[in-house]
Amino acid sequence: GAVVSQHPSWVICKSGTSVKIECRSLDFQATTMFWYRQFPKQSLMLMATSNEGSKATYEQGVEKDKFLINHASLTLSTLTVTSAHPEDSSFYICSANSGTGVVDTQYFGPGTRLTVL
Amino acid sequence: QKEVEQNSGPLSVPEGAIASLNCTYSDRGSQSFFWYRQYSGKSPELIMSIYSNGDKEDGRFTAQLNKASQYVSLLIRDSQPSDSATYLCAVTLQGAQKLVFGQGTRLTINP
């Protein structure tokens, strides 16, 4: 199956600092990647859709100036949480579309656990 | 009405029995349907995908789709304790790439 990696797997930062999370598709090219956030005991919440070479599409209620997304290549998308605050502490997961057939399938990275002190 | 609905559980099934997980969706134009398994503290892992009406089997897993009833299910045969996890139903809405997830069903297999 398609493999997606994320780095770092966990990060602890101080309030007010910025954190960058990388998402890579290792064995396929992904024109579209997705960023999700998951709070404890809740389902995944889509934050934004990232298309290679164009601006990301953010879901309603997600601050695009706070969560900066860059999809510079077909295998890499980055999410930067700017001026992080404790309420941004969450499990951030990316996924990438593997367009191997008629319908694209999303494969998920292992996630990044962010703790903001 | 939520776009994708699942019973949050918890659902408890004895080891060796069949676990049945259900999901309904509201958009009749939905095209693709997925079941993901998520262990606590981990990211979702794709279990099955199904696109047309009927059954699709893969090992101990069977996905069933009924577009007329807007219903998709996942059966797990010979349930094992390692199957204990949260199962997420996800649907691709018509004309969209993004997935819409249900809230997940927590499944516990009792030895």
Side-chain angles (χ1 to χ4, degrees):
Chain A
V3 180
V4 178
S5 70
Q6 273 185 251
H7 178 81
S9 55
W10 59 270
V11 57
I12 301 172
C13 69
K14 293 183 178 179
S15 185
T17 61
S18 295
V19 174
K20 180 185 282 189
I21 302 170
E22 291 186 349
C23 177
R24 293 181 186 273
S25 55
L26 298 185
D27 52 0
F28 66 100
Q29 293 184 329
T31 55
T32 305
M33 291 184 172
F34 303 85
W35 287 96
Y36 295 85
R37 181 167 53 180
Q38 187 175 36
F39 293 106
K41 300 191 185 302
Q42 295 186 20
S43 191
L44 285 82
M45 287 175 41
L46 179 64
M47 300 175 67
T49 301
S50 168
N51 290 295
E52 186 266 338
S54 63
K55 291 184 178 180
T57 302
Y58 291 81
E59 294 298 301
Q60 191 173 9
V62 178
E63 299 175 59
K64 61 181 180 180
D65 294 331
K66 180 171 183 63
F67 299 99
L68 301 179
I69 291 172
N70 184 279
H71 193 159
S73 77
L74 289 172
T75 59
L76 173 65
S77 177
T78 60
L79 167 68
T80 301
V81 183
T82 62
S83 186
H85 291 284
E87 58 265 30
D88 298 323
S89 299
S90 189
F91 191 39
Y92 290 86
I93 312 171
C94 73
S95 70
N97 260 2
S98 171
T100 55
V102 175
V103 177
D104 288 345
T105 299
Q106 280 191 38
Y107 293 92
F108 285 84
T112 297
R113 194 162 300 281
L114 170 63
T115 301
V116 185
L117 302 177
Chain B
Q1 182 187 6
K2 292 182 180 177
E3 292 173 307
V4 180
E5 293 207 52
Q6 295 179 253
N7 187 323
S8 61
L11 175 65
S12 292
V13 173
E15 183 176 357
I18 296 175
S20 177
L21 303 161
N22 305 314
C23 173
T24 58
Y25 58 95
S26 59
D27 185 350
R28 282 198 168 274
S30 298
Q31 297 179 327
S32 309
F33 307 86
F34 304 87
W35 283 99
Y36 288 86
R37 176 176 65 196
Q38 186 176 24
Y39 292 113
S40 181
K42 303 294 185 181
S43 68
E45 172 192 10
L46 181 67
I47 297 295
M48 293 281 287
S49 59
I50 187 166
Y51 311 113
S52 55
N53 280 327
D55 295 359
K56 180 182 178 182
E57 187 175 319
D58 184 0
R60 295 186 296 113
F61 300 95
T62 299
Q64 299 174 319
L65 175 61
N66 184 324
K67 290 189 176 181
S69 300
Q70 295 173 238
Y71 174 94
V72 58
S73 66
L74 179 70
L75 301 178
I76 307 175
R77 290 182 299 281
D78 188 24
S79 297
Q80 302 297 310
S82 58
D83 295 325
S84 298
T86 296
Y87 287 80
L88 300 166
C89 171
V91 175
T92 302
L93 301 182
Q94 188 175 27
Q97 286 183 304
K98 63 182 182 182
L99 289 173
V100 179
F101 284 88
Q103 67 269 41
T105 298
R106 189 155 55 92
L107 173 67
T108 300
I109 305 299
N110 301 307

Short mmCIF file of all heavy atoms in Angstrom, two decimals, chain A residues 6 31-32 34 36 38 41-44 46 49 51 59 91 93 97 103-111 113, chain B residues 6 31-32 34 36 38 40-46 49 51 88-89 92 97-104 106:
data_model
loop_
_atom_site.label_atom_id
_atom_site.label_comp_id
_atom_site.label_asym_id
_atom_site.label_seq_id
_atom_site.Cartn_x
_atom_site.Cartn_y
_atom_site.Cartn_z
N GLN A 6 5.13 11.39 8.42
CA GLN A 6 5.01 12.71 9.03
C GLN A 6 6.19 12.93 9.96
O GLN A 6 6.68 12.00 10.59
CB GLN A 6 3.72 12.83 9.86
CG GLN A 6 2.51 13.26 9.08
CD GLN A 6 1.29 13.46 9.95
OE1 GLN A 6 0.35 12.67 9.89
NE2 GLN A 6 1.29 14.53 10.76
N THR A 31 -1.00 14.71 -5.75
CA THR A 31 -1.35 16.07 -6.13
C THR A 31 -2.20 16.73 -5.05
O THR A 31 -2.24 17.94 -4.96
CB THR A 31 -2.13 16.09 -7.46
OG1 THR A 31 -3.26 15.23 -7.34
CG2 THR A 31 -1.26 15.62 -8.61
N THR A 32 -2.86 15.91 -4.26
CA THR A 32 -3.72 16.46 -3.20
C THR A 32 -3.37 15.81 -1.87
O THR A 32 -3.27 14.59 -1.78
CB THR A 32 -5.20 16.22 -3.51
OG1 THR A 32 -5.52 16.75 -4.78
CG2 THR A 32 -6.08 16.90 -2.46
N PHE A 34 -4.28 16.26 2.52
CA PHE A 34 -5.28 16.79 3.44
C PHE A 34 -4.67 16.87 4.84
O PHE A 34 -3.87 16.04 5.23
CB PHE A 34 -6.50 15.87 3.48
CG PHE A 34 -7.15 15.65 2.14
CD1 PHE A 34 -6.68 14.66 1.29
CD2 PHE A 34 -8.22 16.43 1.73
CE1 PHE A 34 -7.27 14.45 0.05
CE2 PHE A 34 -8.82 16.22 0.50
CZ PHE A 34 -8.33 15.23 -0.35
N TYR A 36 -5.74 17.09 8.90
CA TYR A 36 -6.81 16.88 9.86
C TYR A 36 -6.28 17.19 11.27
O TYR A 36 -5.08 17.16 11.53
CB TYR A 36 -7.26 15.41 9.86
CG TYR A 36 -7.90 14.92 8.59
CD1 TYR A 36 -7.13 14.47 7.53
CD2 TYR A 36 -9.29 14.87 8.46
CE1 TYR A 36 -7.71 14.00 6.36
CE2 TYR A 36 -9.89 14.40 7.31
CZ TYR A 36 -9.09 13.97 6.27
OH TYR A 36 -9.68 13.50 5.11
N GLN A 38 -7.38 16.09 15.37
CA GLN A 38 -8.23 15.20 16.16
C GLN A 38 -8.01 15.45 17.63
O GLN A 38 -6.88 15.30 18.13
CB GLN A 38 -7.96 13.74 15.82
CG GLN A 38 -8.93 12.77 16.49
CD GLN A 38 -8.71 11.34 16.05
OE1 GLN A 38 -7.58 10.91 15.83
NE2 GLN A 38 -9.79 10.57 15.92
N LYS A 41 -10.95 11.52 21.96
CA LYS A 41 -12.27 10.90 21.92
C LYS A 41 -13.21 11.54 20.89
O LYS A 41 -14.43 11.41 20.99
CB LYS A 41 -12.93 10.92 23.30
CG LYS A 41 -12.14 10.16 24.36
CD LYS A 41 -12.93 9.97 25.62
CE LYS A 41 -12.10 9.33 26.71
NZ LYS A 41 -11.56 8.02 26.31
N GLN A 42 -12.64 12.25 19.92
CA GLN A 42 -13.45 12.82 18.85
C GLN A 42 -12.98 12.29 17.51
O GLN A 42 -11.89 11.73 17.40
CB GLN A 42 -13.36 14.35 18.87
CG GLN A 42 -13.96 14.99 20.11
CD GLN A 42 -13.98 16.50 20.03
OE1 GLN A 42 -13.90 17.09 18.95
NE2 GLN A 42 -14.07 17.15 21.19
N SER A 43 -13.81 12.46 16.51
CA SER A 43 -13.43 12.02 15.18
C SER A 43 -12.51 13.03 14.52
O SER A 43 -12.25 14.10 15.07
CB SER A 43 -14.68 11.79 14.32
OG SER A 43 -14.34 11.12 13.12
N LEU A 44 -12.03 12.68 13.35
CA LEU A 44 -11.13 13.58 12.63
C LEU A 44 -11.89 14.79 12.11
O LEU A 44 -13.02 14.68 11.65
CB LEU A 44 -10.51 12.87 11.42
CG LEU A 44 -9.42 11.86 11.71
CD1 LEU A 44 -9.99 10.53 12.11
CD2 LEU A 44 -8.54 11.69 10.49
N LEU A 46 -11.44 17.72 9.31
CA LEU A 46 -10.65 18.21 8.19
C LEU A 46 -10.38 19.69 8.38
O LEU A 46 -11.30 20.48 8.62
CB LEU A 46 -11.40 17.98 6.88
CG LEU A 46 -10.71 18.46 5.61
CD1 LEU A 46 -9.42 17.69 5.36
CD2 LEU A 46 -11.65 18.32 4.40
N THR A 49 -7.54 21.32 2.53
CA THR A 49 -7.12 20.50 1.38
C THR A 49 -5.98 21.23 0.70
O THR A 49 -6.09 22.42 0.37
CB THR A 49 -8.29 20.31 0.41
OG1 THR A 49 -9.37 19.68 1.09
CG2 THR A 49 -7.86 19.46 -0.78
N ASN A 51 -3.37 21.41 -2.44
CA ASN A 51 -3.09 21.00 -3.81
C ASN A 51 -1.72 21.50 -4.23
O ASN A 51 -1.39 22.67 -4.01
CB ASN A 51 -4.15 21.53 -4.76
CG ASN A 51 -5.49 20.84 -4.56
OD1 ASN A 51 -5.62 19.65 -4.79
ND2 ASN A 51 -6.47 21.59 -4.11
N GLU A 59 -11.24 24.64 5.51
CA GLU A 59 -12.61 24.39 5.94
C GLU A 59 -13.11 25.59 6.76
O GLU A 59 -12.32 26.36 7.32
CB GLU A 59 -12.69 23.12 6.76
CG GLU A 59 -12.36 21.87 5.96
CD GLU A 59 -13.32 21.62 4.81
OE1 GLU A 59 -14.53 21.47 5.07
OE2 GLU A 59 -12.84 21.59 3.66
N PHE A 91 -3.80 16.29 18.01
CA PHE A 91 -3.18 15.29 17.15
C PHE A 91 -3.42 15.73 15.71
O PHE A 91 -4.58 15.79 15.28
CB PHE A 91 -3.81 13.92 17.46
CG PHE A 91 -3.11 12.74 16.86
CD1 PHE A 91 -1.73 12.67 16.81
CD2 PHE A 91 -3.83 11.66 16.38
CE1 PHE A 91 -1.07 11.57 16.28
CE2 PHE A 91 -3.19 10.54 15.86
CZ PHE A 91 -1.80 10.50 15.81
N ILE A 93 -2.97 15.10 11.75
CA ILE A 93 -2.76 13.98 10.84
C ILE A 93 -2.91 14.46 9.41
O ILE A 93 -3.84 15.20 9.09
CB ILE A 93 -3.79 12.85 11.09
CG1 ILE A 93 -3.90 12.52 12.58
CG2 ILE A 93 -3.42 11.60 10.30
CD1 ILE A 93 -5.04 11.57 12.90
N ASN A 97 -3.78 11.61 -1.33
CA ASN A 97 -4.56 10.84 -2.30
C ASN A 97 -3.65 10.03 -3.20
O ASN A 97 -2.74 10.58 -3.81
CB ASN A 97 -5.39 11.79 -3.17
CG ASN A 97 -6.83 11.88 -2.71
OD1 ASN A 97 -7.20 11.25 -1.73
ND2 ASN A 97 -7.63 12.62 -3.42
N VAL A 103 -10.87 5.73 -8.65
CA VAL A 103 -11.19 6.57 -7.49
C VAL A 103 -9.95 6.70 -6.63
O VAL A 103 -9.24 5.73 -6.39
CB VAL A 103 -12.32 5.94 -6.66
CG1 VAL A 103 -12.62 6.77 -5.42
CG2 VAL A 103 -13.56 5.77 -7.51
N ASP A 104 -9.69 7.91 -6.18
CA ASP A 104 -8.56 8.13 -5.30
C ASP A 104 -8.85 7.58 -3.92
O ASP A 104 -9.97 7.67 -3.43
CB ASP A 104 -8.25 9.62 -5.20
CG ASP A 104 -7.65 10.15 -6.49
OD1 ASP A 104 -7.22 9.32 -7.32
OD2 ASP A 104 -7.60 11.37 -6.67
N THR A 105 -7.83 7.06 -3.29
CA THR A 105 -7.93 6.57 -1.92
C THR A 105 -7.00 7.39 -1.06
O THR A 105 -5.87 7.67 -1.46
CB THR A 105 -7.54 5.09 -1.85
OG1 THR A 105 -8.44 4.33 -2.66
CG2 THR A 105 -7.59 4.58 -0.42
N GLN A 106 -7.46 7.78 0.12
CA GLN A 106 -6.63 8.54 1.04
C GLN A 106 -5.88 7.61 1.97
O GLN A 106 -6.49 6.75 2.61
CB GLN A 106 -7.50 9.51 1.86
CG GLN A 106 -7.88 10.77 1.13
CD GLN A 106 -8.50 11.80 2.04
OE1 GLN A 106 -8.10 11.98 3.18
NE2 GLN A 106 -9.50 12.50 1.51
N TYR A 107 -4.58 7.83 2.04
CA TYR A 107 -3.74 7.11 2.98
C TYR A 107 -3.20 8.11 4.00
O TYR A 107 -2.77 9.20 3.65
CB TYR A 107 -2.58 6.42 2.25
CG TYR A 107 -3.07 5.30 1.35
CD1 TYR A 107 -3.36 5.55 0.01
CD2 TYR A 107 -3.25 4.02 1.84
CE1 TYR A 107 -3.83 4.54 -0.82
CE2 TYR A 107 -3.70 3.00 1.01
CZ TYR A 107 -3.99 3.27 -0.31
OH TYR A 107 -4.46 2.27 -1.12
N PHE A 108 -3.23 7.68 5.26
CA PHE A 108 -2.91 8.60 6.34
C PHE A 108 -1.47 8.44 6.82
O PHE A 108 -0.92 7.35 6.84
CB PHE A 108 -3.85 8.37 7.53
CG PHE A 108 -5.23 8.92 7.29
CD1 PHE A 108 -6.18 8.18 6.60
CD2 PHE A 108 -5.57 10.19 7.73
CE1 PHE A 108 -7.44 8.70 6.36
CE2 PHE A 108 -6.83 10.71 7.50
CZ PHE A 108 -7.76 9.97 6.80
N GLY A 109 -0.89 9.57 7.20
CA GLY A 109 0.38 9.54 7.89
C GLY A 109 0.17 9.10 9.33
O GLY A 109 -0.97 8.99 9.80
N PRO A 110 1.26 8.89 10.08
CA PRO A 110 1.16 8.40 11.45
C PRO A 110 0.73 9.45 12.46
O PRO A 110 0.43 9.13 13.60
CB PRO A 110 2.57 7.90 11.75
CG PRO A 110 3.43 8.71 10.85
CD PRO A 110 2.64 8.95 9.61
N GLY A 111 0.67 10.72 12.03
CA GLY A 111 0.21 11.77 12.92
C GLY A 111 1.33 12.44 13.70
O GLY A 111 2.42 11.89 13.88
N ARG A 113 1.73 14.61 17.32
CA ARG A 113 1.06 15.07 18.54
C ARG A 113 1.72 16.35 19.00
O ARG A 113 2.90 16.37 19.32
CB ARG A 113 1.15 13.99 19.63
CG ARG A 113 0.20 14.26 20.79
CD ARG A 113 -0.03 13.01 21.63
NE ARG A 113 -0.59 11.90 20.89
CZ ARG A 113 -1.87 11.77 20.56
NH1 ARG A 113 -2.73 12.70 20.92
NH2 ARG A 113 -2.28 10.71 19.91
N GLN B 6 -22.71 7.08 12.54
CA GLN B 6 -22.37 5.77 13.08
C GLN B 6 -22.81 5.72 14.53
O GLN B 6 -22.82 6.75 15.21
CB GLN B 6 -20.85 5.54 13.05
CG GLN B 6 -20.22 5.47 11.69
CD GLN B 6 -18.72 5.25 11.84
OE1 GLN B 6 -17.91 6.16 11.62
NE2 GLN B 6 -18.34 4.03 12.21
N GLN B 31 -20.15 8.68 -3.72
CA GLN B 31 -19.61 7.76 -4.71
C GLN B 31 -18.69 6.70 -4.15
O GLN B 31 -18.64 5.59 -4.67
CB GLN B 31 -18.86 8.57 -5.78
CG GLN B 31 -19.73 9.53 -6.55
CD GLN B 31 -18.96 10.34 -7.56
OE1 GLN B 31 -17.79 10.67 -7.33
NE2 GLN B 31 -19.58 10.66 -8.67
N SER B 32 -17.95 7.06 -3.12
CA SER B 32 -16.93 6.14 -2.60
C SER B 32 -17.09 6.01 -1.10
O SER B 32 -17.38 6.99 -0.42
CB SER B 32 -15.53 6.67 -2.92
OG SER B 32 -15.41 6.98 -4.29
N PHE B 34 -15.51 4.12 2.52
CA PHE B 34 -14.30 3.55 3.11
C PHE B 34 -14.53 3.20 4.57
O PHE B 34 -15.28 3.87 5.27
CB PHE B 34 -13.14 4.55 3.03
CG PHE B 34 -12.85 5.04 1.62
CD1 PHE B 34 -13.52 6.13 1.10
CD2 PHE B 34 -11.90 4.40 0.84
CE1 PHE B 34 -13.26 6.59 -0.18
CE2 PHE B 34 -11.63 4.85 -0.44
CZ PHE B 34 -12.31 5.94 -0.96
N TYR B 36 -12.09 2.73 7.90
CA TYR B 36 -10.76 2.86 8.48
C TYR B 36 -10.80 2.33 9.92
O TYR B 36 -11.79 2.45 10.62
CB TYR B 36 -10.33 4.34 8.52
CG TYR B 36 -9.98 4.94 7.18
CD1 TYR B 36 -10.95 5.49 6.36
CD2 TYR B 36 -8.65 4.97 6.74
CE1 TYR B 36 -10.63 6.06 5.13
CE2 TYR B 36 -8.31 5.53 5.51
CZ TYR B 36 -9.31 6.08 4.72
OH TYR B 36 -8.97 6.64 3.51
N GLN B 38 -8.85 2.68 13.62
CA GLN B 38 -7.96 3.56 14.34
C GLN B 38 -7.75 3.03 15.76
O GLN B 38 -8.69 2.97 16.56
CB GLN B 38 -8.50 5.00 14.39
CG GLN B 38 -7.52 5.98 15.01
CD GLN B 38 -8.00 7.43 14.97
OE1 GLN B 38 -9.18 7.71 14.90
NE2 GLN B 38 -7.04 8.35 15.01
N SER B 40 -6.10 3.41 19.51
CA SER B 40 -5.96 4.56 20.40
C SER B 40 -4.58 5.19 20.25
O SER B 40 -3.56 4.51 20.33
CB SER B 40 -6.19 4.12 21.84
OG SER B 40 -6.07 5.22 22.72
N GLY B 41 -4.55 6.48 20.00
CA GLY B 41 -3.28 7.20 19.88
C GLY B 41 -2.60 7.07 18.53
O GLY B 41 -1.50 7.60 18.34
N LYS B 42 -3.23 6.37 17.60
CA LYS B 42 -2.65 6.16 16.28
C LYS B 42 -3.52 6.81 15.21
O LYS B 42 -4.64 7.24 15.47
CB LYS B 42 -2.51 4.66 15.98
CG LYS B 42 -1.71 3.90 17.00
CD LYS B 42 -0.25 4.32 16.99
CE LYS B 42 0.59 3.46 17.92
NZ LYS B 42 2.01 3.90 17.94
N SER B 43 -2.99 6.88 14.00
CA SER B 43 -3.76 7.46 12.90
C SER B 43 -4.61 6.36 12.23
O SER B 43 -4.37 5.17 12.43
CB SER B 43 -2.82 8.11 11.88
OG SER B 43 -2.05 7.14 11.23
N PRO B 44 -5.59 6.76 11.43
CA PRO B 44 -6.45 5.76 10.78
C PRO B 44 -5.70 4.91 9.75
O PRO B 44 -4.81 5.39 9.05
CB PRO B 44 -7.52 6.62 10.10
CG PRO B 44 -7.51 7.91 10.83
CD PRO B 44 -6.09 8.12 11.22
N GLU B 45 -6.14 3.67 9.66
CA GLU B 45 -5.56 2.71 8.72
C GLU B 45 -6.69 2.20 7.83
O GLU B 45 -7.73 1.76 8.33
CB GLU B 45 -4.93 1.57 9.51
CG GLU B 45 -4.46 0.40 8.69
CD GLU B 45 -4.13 -0.78 9.58
OE1 GLU B 45 -4.43 -0.74 10.79
OE2 GLU B 45 -3.56 -1.76 9.08
N LEU B 46 -6.49 2.24 6.52
CA LEU B 46 -7.53 1.79 5.60
C LEU B 46 -7.76 0.29 5.72
O LEU B 46 -6.82 -0.51 5.65
CB LEU B 46 -7.15 2.15 4.17
CG LEU B 46 -8.16 1.75 3.09
CD1 LEU B 46 -9.45 2.56 3.24
CD2 LEU B 46 -7.56 1.95 1.70
N SER B 49 -12.41 -0.51 1.01
CA SER B 49 -13.08 0.49 0.20
C SER B 49 -14.14 -0.22 -0.63
O SER B 49 -13.97 -1.40 -0.99
CB SER B 49 -12.09 1.21 -0.71
OG SER B 49 -11.45 0.29 -1.57
N TYR B 51 -17.29 0.66 -3.75
CA TYR B 51 -17.81 1.69 -4.64
C TYR B 51 -19.15 1.33 -5.28
O TYR B 51 -19.87 2.20 -5.76
CB TYR B 51 -16.80 1.98 -5.76
CG TYR B 51 -15.41 2.20 -5.24
CD1 TYR B 51 -14.39 1.30 -5.52
CD2 TYR B 51 -15.10 3.30 -4.46
CE1 TYR B 51 -13.11 1.49 -5.04
CE2 TYR B 51 -13.82 3.51 -3.97
CZ TYR B 51 -12.82 2.59 -4.27
OH TYR B 51 -11.55 2.77 -3.79
N LEU B 88 -13.90 3.81 11.69
CA LEU B 88 -14.41 5.04 11.10
C LEU B 88 -14.96 4.76 9.71
O LEU B 88 -14.27 4.18 8.87
CB LEU B 88 -13.30 6.09 10.99
CG LEU B 88 -12.64 6.53 12.29
CD1 LEU B 88 -11.36 7.30 12.01
CD2 LEU B 88 -13.60 7.39 13.09
N CYS B 89 -16.20 5.17 9.50
CA CYS B 89 -16.81 5.11 8.18
C CYS B 89 -16.56 6.45 7.51
O CYS B 89 -16.68 7.50 8.14
CB CYS B 89 -18.31 4.85 8.34
SG CYS B 89 -19.29 4.98 6.83
N THR B 92 -16.96 9.76 0.31
CA THR B 92 -16.62 10.86 -0.58
C THR B 92 -17.91 11.38 -1.19
O THR B 92 -18.64 10.63 -1.85
CB THR B 92 -15.68 10.39 -1.71
OG1 THR B 92 -14.51 9.84 -1.12
CG2 THR B 92 -15.29 11.55 -2.60
N GLN B 97 -13.27 15.65 -3.48
CA GLN B 97 -12.19 14.73 -3.18
C GLN B 97 -12.13 14.40 -1.70
O GLN B 97 -11.64 13.34 -1.33
CB GLN B 97 -10.85 15.36 -3.57
CG GLN B 97 -10.57 15.43 -5.04
CD GLN B 97 -9.19 16.00 -5.31
OE1 GLN B 97 -8.86 17.10 -4.86
NE2 GLN B 97 -8.37 15.26 -6.00
N LYS B 98 -12.63 15.31 -0.88
CA LYS B 98 -12.42 15.12 0.55
C LYS B 98 -13.36 14.07 1.12
O LYS B 98 -14.43 13.80 0.60
CB LYS B 98 -12.62 16.44 1.29
CG LYS B 98 -14.00 17.03 1.19
CD LYS B 98 -14.07 18.36 1.91
CE LYS B 98 -15.47 18.96 1.88
NZ LYS B 98 -15.50 20.28 2.56
N LEU B 99 -12.90 13.46 2.21
CA LEU B 99 -13.68 12.45 2.91
C LEU B 99 -14.50 13.11 4.01
O LEU B 99 -14.05 14.03 4.68
CB LEU B 99 -12.75 11.42 3.55
CG LEU B 99 -12.02 10.45 2.64
CD1 LEU B 99 -11.03 9.62 3.45
CD2 LEU B 99 -13.00 9.55 1.92
N VAL B 100 -15.69 12.59 4.21
CA VAL B 100 -16.50 12.99 5.35
C VAL B 100 -16.58 11.77 6.28
O VAL B 100 -16.99 10.69 5.85
CB VAL B 100 -17.91 13.43 4.94
CG1 VAL B 100 -18.73 13.80 6.16
CG2 VAL B 100 -17.82 14.61 3.98
N PHE B 101 -16.17 11.97 7.51
CA PHE B 101 -16.11 10.86 8.46
C PHE B 101 -17.31 10.83 9.38
O PHE B 101 -17.85 11.87 9.77
CB PHE B 101 -14.85 10.98 9.33
CG PHE B 101 -13.58 10.60 8.64
CD1 PHE B 101 -12.86 11.52 7.91
CD2 PHE B 101 -13.13 9.29 8.69
CE1 PHE B 101 -11.69 11.16 7.27
CE2 PHE B 101 -11.96 8.92 8.06
CZ PHE B 101 -11.25 9.85 7.34
N GLY B 102 -17.70 9.62 9.75
CA GLY B 102 -18.60 9.46 10.87
C GLY B 102 -17.83 9.62 12.16
O GLY B 102 -16.60 9.78 12.16
N GLN B 103 -18.55 9.59 13.27
CA GLN B 103 -17.89 9.81 14.56
C GLN B 103 -17.13 8.59 15.05
O GLN B 103 -16.39 8.67 16.03
CB GLN B 103 -18.90 10.28 15.62
CG GLN B 103 -19.93 9.23 16.02
CD GLN B 103 -21.18 9.31 15.17
OE1 GLN B 103 -21.13 9.51 13.96
NE2 GLN B 103 -22.32 9.15 15.81
N GLY B 104 -17.31 7.46 14.36
CA GLY B 104 -16.57 6.26 14.74
C GLY B 104 -17.32 5.39 15.72
O GLY B 104 -18.07 5.88 16.56
N ARG B 106 -16.60 2.48 18.58
CA ARG B 106 -15.57 1.82 19.37
C ARG B 106 -15.97 0.36 19.57
O ARG B 106 -17.02 0.05 20.10
CB ARG B 106 -15.41 2.53 20.71
CG ARG B 106 -14.23 2.06 21.52
CD ARG B 106 -13.77 3.15 22.49
NE ARG B 106 -14.85 3.62 23.35
CZ ARG B 106 -15.12 3.11 24.55
NH1 ARG B 106 -14.41 2.12 25.01
NH2 ARG B 106 -16.09 3.60 25.28
#
